[in-house]
Amino acid sequence: GAVVSQHPSWVICKSGTSVKIECRSLDFQATTMFWYRQFPKQSLMLMATSNEGSKATYEQGVEKDKFLINHASLTLSTLTVTSAHPEDSSFYICSARLGQGVEEQFFGPGTRLTVL
Amino acid sequence: GQNIDQPTEMTATEGAIVQINCTYQTSGFNGLFWYQQHAGEAPTFLSYNVLDGLEEKGRFSSFLSRSKGYSYLLLKELQMKDSASYLCAVMDSNYQLIWGAGTKLIIKP
């Protein structure tokens, strides 16, 4: 099956700093990548959808200036949490899809962010 | 609006059978997915249904009724490792996944 990696697996940072999370599709080219956030005991919340070479589409309520997404190639998307605050502490998960239609999303292992 | 409903938590006994239900109301339908998520890990794909009926895959089966907006995931011969959250997700007319809140399944010896 298709493999998606994320780096780092976990990160602890001070309030006010920025954190970059990478999502890579290792053995396929991902036309579309998704970024999710998951708080404890809650379901996945889609933050944004990014297509290679174009601007990300953010879900309502997600600040695009705070959560910067770059999808520069078919195998790499990055999420940068700028000026992180304790309330941004969460489990961030990316997923990748081959095409635009009905296809399974392959999930990365997730990144646990803790902001002190 | 779009809505996915599934029970918050279920408990079952090792070796038994459990059925996790999911009802949905979405703008369009391009299939229903079931994912398994262990605590602290990312979801893993279990099944995909787009036509009515039952899809069987080993100990896991998934059923869909599009007219009723209803699906269930059936787990047989439960094992302790099946303790996890099970997420129901529907792909809408824009090929976006709409996620349920997940059902936490607790398996007891």
Side-chain angles (χ1 to χ4, degrees), chain A residues 3-10 21-26 34-36 77 79 91-95 106-112, chain B residues 42:
Chain A
V3 180
V4 176
S5 70
Q6 269 183 253
H7 177 81
S9 301
W10 58 270
I21 303 170
E22 290 187 351
C23 177
R24 292 181 185 273
S25 56
L26 299 185
F34 303 87
W35 286 98
Y36 292 88
S77 176
L79 167 69
F91 192 44
Y92 291 86
I93 309 173
C94 75
S95 69
F106 300 95
F107 285 87
T111 297
R112 186 159 301 282

Side-chain angles (χ1 to χ4, degrees), chain B residues 38-66:
Chain B
H38 284 100
E41 298 180 13
T44 55
F45 171 79
L46 288 178
S47 67
Y48 170 67
N49 293 66
V50 67
L51 299 176
D52 289 351
L54 187 69
E55 295 276 346
E56 296 186 76
K57 193 184 292 186
R59 294 189 297 115
F60 293 7
S61 302
S62 56
F63 171 84
L64 174 68
S65 169
R66 288 172 296 171

